[in-house]
Amino acid sequence: MIKVVLPTDFSENAFHAISHAVKLLENSTCIFYLVHAYTPAIYRVDYTLGSPGRLGLPDDERYRAEEALENTKKKIQAQFNVSKHTFVAHAAFNSLTDEIASISQKEKIDFIVMGTQGATGAKEILFGSNTVHVIQKSDIPILAVPSGFEYEPPRNILFPTDYEVDYKKVNLDFLLKFSRLWHSKLHIMHVTAPEGLSIDQTDHKTYLQGKLLEHNHKFYDLPDQELIEAINGFQQETPVEMLAMVKNKHTFLERLFVEPIIKNIGFHSKVPFLVLPITP
């Protein structure tokens, strides 16, 4: 049983990500939690005291959210109708990041799938603000799906790494379990610095090699260059259907959040982006 959170703001991009998740896991028994977190534009006194439902008052925002979630649920089931899939609608008066954290802990969620954009859909922004906040705060894997990506099974997954990560603190088992679903090949890409690997980097690489012994994979050592340039170049030479990275400090992921305009950083991720958290 795989448990997945599907956040939605009822935009086309959100439904695109939901559809991607359903197709991705079509052969797996899953519970999908359709999550919408709302905060009214104008806070009434009953919201400041707690949710109106607790006070016996009508909660119009919740009613609207629940109705929209049910409509989304019916739309999914009409389009896909996968017998192995169960959908649970969940609306809450809360911030999206806090509500996802709460339901993830309560329901023991395996991962989150969400669109890269929100309802505004600004094309020049790589990640919408909700996606950024969830990625930054979540301690479970997140798959961010670009709105323009037409679904393809992830037969090839690119995994760039600097070997600075202690992989014993990373949920690699999720990545390996995920790759087994589609018999994916993992392409581990490292940009080689002039000074070579440190002792710690060598140890981390050795551990990673051990974890991958029974999986289809290949290691690549590329000449010294900007990581983003290397990723873009690799994808031109070797088409992949997914990009996976570890969310650790000092990686280029932080640059994506600080400098979100694509033209400023030259990063063009046209494939789903899997972010793996690292435990403290």
Side-chain angles (χ1 to χ4, degrees), residues 234-251:
F234 186 95
Q235 291 186 80
Q236 290 176 0
E237 295 291 329
T238 307
V240 299
E241 294 79 37
M242 185 176 293
L243 175 65
M245 291 196 72
V246 176
K247 183 188 67 176
N248 64 316
K249 292 182 179 180
H250 312 303
T251 67

Side-chain angles (χ1 to χ4, degrees), residues 13-212:
N13 183 63
F15 190 80
H16 177 77
I18 292 169
S19 300
H20 183 92
V22 173
K23 293 174 186 176
L24 186 67
L25 298 169
E26 63 180 354
N27 296 317
S28 302
T29 302
C30 303
I31 298 179
F32 292 105
Y33 295 84
L34 297 169
V35 176
H36 178 75
Y38 61 93
T39 50
I42 299 176
Y43 283 85
R44 306 190 316 236
V45 63
D46 44 319
Y47 277 109
T48 63
L49 295 173
S51 68
R54 293 180 183 175
L55 304 177
L57 300 172
D59 187 347
D60 294 338
E61 291 286 344
R62 174 178 286 277
Y63 296 153
R64 280 193 288 268
E66 289 178 344
E67 182 180 11
L69 284 170
E70 283 302 318
N71 289 337
T72 301
K73 182 177 174 180
K74 291 176 182 177
K75 184 178 177 182
I76 298 165
Q77 292 172 327
Q79 284 192 20
F80 301 104
N81 192 27
V82 180
S83 60
K84 293 183 177 182
H85 292 175
T86 301
F87 294 89
V88 177
H90 179 85
F93 172 62
N94 202 352
S95 71
L96 181 62
T97 51
D98 288 345
E99 193 58 32
I100 287 178
S102 174
I103 195 172
S104 296
Q105 182 177 19
K106 180 181 178 181
E107 302 295 343
K108 294 180 171 52
I109 298 298
D110 293 293
F111 74 118
I112 302 161
V113 180
M114 61 192 304
T116 55
Q117 302 303 329
T120 56
K123 298 299 183 183
E124 73 276 10
I125 305 298
L126 180 59
F127 291 126
S129 58
N130 274 335
T131 311
V132 169
H133 293 151
V134 174
I135 288 176
Q136 287 177 324
K137 294 186 178 182
S138 178
D139 58 1
I140 65 173
I142 298 168
L143 182 65
V145 182
S147 58
F149 181 77
E150 293 297 326
Y151 176 77
E152 292 182 61
R155 304 294 186 191
N156 293 277
I157 301 175
L158 175 59
F159 185 59
T161 179
D162 56 9
Y163 299 130
E164 294 283 357
V165 180
D166 182 354
Y167 292 107
K168 295 175 184 176
K169 296 182 178 181
V170 178
N171 191 355
L172 287 179
D173 288 338
F174 173 82
L175 177 61
L176 300 181
K177 177 182 177 181
F178 190 86
S179 66
R180 281 195 294 267
L181 290 176
W182 289 102
H183 307 287
S184 309
K185 182 174 183 177
L186 292 173
H187 302 265
I188 298 85
M189 187 195 79
H190 172 68
V191 175
T192 306
E195 62 273 17
L197 299 180
S198 67
I199 294 175
D200 284 344
Q201 285 176 304
T202 301
D203 289 344
H204 296 158
K205 181 179 180 180
T206 300
Y207 178 82
L208 182 60
Q209 288 172 325
K211 290 287 287 186
L212 297 178

